[in-house]
Amino acid sequence: MSTPTTTDKVPTRAWLPTMLTLAAIWGCSFLFISVGVRELPPLYLALGRVTAGAIVLLVFLAIKRESLPRDRRLWAHSFVVGAVGSAIPWTLFGYGEERIPSLLAGIWNGITPLVVLPIAVLIFRTELFSLQRGLGLVVGFVGMLVVLGAWNVSGGADLTGQILCMLAAVCYGIAVPYQKRFLAGSSISGTALSATLLLCAMLQLAIVAPLVTRQAPPAPWSLSIEVLGSVLALGALGSGIAFVLSMRNIRLIGASRSAMVTYLMPIFSILVGVIVLREHITWYQPVGGLVVLLGVAISQGVFNFRTKPKPVVGTPEAVSP
């Protein structure tokens, strides 16, 4: 019988450097998105990102002499994760960053663990629940309202952009436990599995982007060096190498705890947004982001309240990685 994922037996040195690297790559991705949407429609920016990432991973596979999986069921699950974990959220962040600063998009990404936990517990049954985690969810929800400025909502582009980025983070929150439940336990290497996800997302975006934008993709030589560099950085780093690192951490420490990378991502997104793009935000948005991260910390057991996780009544035990 399988048992819930435990992380006590995994030494910190096995996953912390990977998490720090992921935080830096993904935290800076919001800057690259902000630069990319200056000349590219968000759908084509996302398509360029997954294409570049897929090419990088296919090269890795060729060097390692590995092949893509042949299991149809695995491809079917990859098609779902490719949509919910890549194609849709990357497009939403692009549309969102047409309306709000990149550092604010990075803050909204911090709600991912708050979405991961209830979905992992109630739907995919890959995590356990406790009163402490419930308290963390409540605190995190309050933080979300503060980031949104719920007392001062007046609509407009800013509100629309924030909602789009929030929905993108929700997509991540669905994709992480789904990936843990149906893909992370497979014998396929992280590189091959990540390449499969990106190829599925590439196919989806290649079909949808021309239909929605009603225009052909711009020629690469018509784009500025900054935009081309942003697409390549998003693909090679944020979608290629980072996918492999993320899959490694999910297998090592589970879906919910691997999502703790969002503790550090807002730090990088805020720093590069302020220093490189000279962006500005209102006082309550970073404050709300800190409240969100506090909720995440509580839910992940950073503060030991001595509450023991209990399986959800009437549900089967979680699946181990």
Side-chain angles (χ1 to χ4, degrees):
M1 183 178 292
S2 59
T3 56
T5 300
T6 60
T7 61
D8 294 338
K9 297 181 181 180
V10 181
T12 303
R13 65 178 180 274
W15 55 267
L16 184 58
T18 301
M19 184 171 290
L20 292 174
T21 303
L22 280 171
I25 293 174
W26 283 338
C28 293
S29 292
F30 299 100
L31 177 148
F32 297 132
I33 293 173
S34 182
V35 173
V37 294
R38 293 175 183 175
E39 300 177 20
L40 283 171
L43 278 162
Y44 279 124
L45 176 62
L47 176 58
R49 176 177 182 174
V50 297
T51 302
I55 292 173
V56 168
L57 293 182
L58 289 175
V59 170
F60 284 170
L61 287 177
I63 294 174
K64 296 167 64 178
R65 295 184 178 180
E66 292 184 25
S67 60
L68 293 171
R70 298 180 180 180
D71 186 346
R72 293 182 180 179
R73 184 176 181 182
L74 190 145
W75 274 95
H77 288 307
S78 297
F79 194 83
V80 176
V81 177
V84 182
S86 300
I88 296 175
W90 293 347
T91 300
L92 289 174
F93 271 124
Y95 282 114
E97 289 194 45
E98 287 182 327
R99 298 162 173 81
I100 63 173
S102 67
L103 53 81
L104 183 53
I107 292 175
W108 272 113
N109 195 83
I111 74 169
T112 298
L114 300 177
V115 183
V116 167
L117 181 57
I119 293 176
V121 170
L122 300 175
I123 298 178
F124 298 113
R125 290 119 184 201
T126 57
E127 305 284 346
L128 300 178
F129 189 75
S130 69
L131 292 177
Q132 180 170 337
R133 287 183 163 184
L135 175 62
L137 290 177
V138 173
V139 173
F141 180 74
V142 172
M144 290 168 54
L145 295 178
V146 175
V147 173
L148 188 60
W151 61 87
N152 191 34
V153 171
S154 58
D158 182 78
L159 176 61
T160 301
Q162 293 200 59
I163 291 175
L164 289 171
C165 291
M166 179 176 64
L167 291 176
V170 170
C171 288
Y172 286 152
I174 297 172
V176 170
Y178 188 101
Q179 183 171 319
K180 167 66 177 177
R181 175 66 176 83
F182 296 108
L183 295 176
S186 69
S187 60
I188 304 299
S189 72
T191 304
L193 188 54
S194 299
T196 303
L197 298 176
L198 289 180
L199 287 172
C200 290
M202 183 177 69
L203 175 62
Q204 294 159 0
L205 287 167
I207 295 173
V208 173
L211 296 176
V212 174
T213 62
R214 295 184 179 180
Q215 64 182 67
W221 54 84
S222 68
L223 303 174
S224 65
I225 296 297
E226 292 82 2
V227 171
L228 282 175
S230 295
V231 174
L232 292 176
L234 286 169
L237 296 177
S239 306
I241 296 173
F243 258 46
V244 178
L245 297 178
S246 178
M247 176 58 69
R248 177 181 182 274
N249 266 13
I250 289 175
R251 284 173 163 166
L252 280 177
I253 59 177
S256 184
R257 183 154 294 189
S258 66
M260 287 169 59
V261 66
T262 50
Y263 284 134
L264 304 173
M265 285 173 56
I267 297 175
F268 288 94
S269 67
I270 290 173
L271 285 176
V272 297
V274 171
I275 295 173
V276 179
L277 298 179
R278 300 187 181 279
E279 295 175 335
H280 301 280
I281 51 176
T282 57
W283 66 268
Y284 56 80
Q285 290 164 341
V287 170
L290 290 175
V291 176
V292 169
L293 294 181
L294 174 62
V296 173
I298 293 173
S299 69
Q300 299 298 330
V302 174
F303 307 106
N304 185 11
F305 296 155
R306 297 182 180 180
T307 57
K308 296 182 179 180
K310 298 179 180 180
V312 178
V313 177
T315 60
E317 294 185 4
V319 177
S320 59

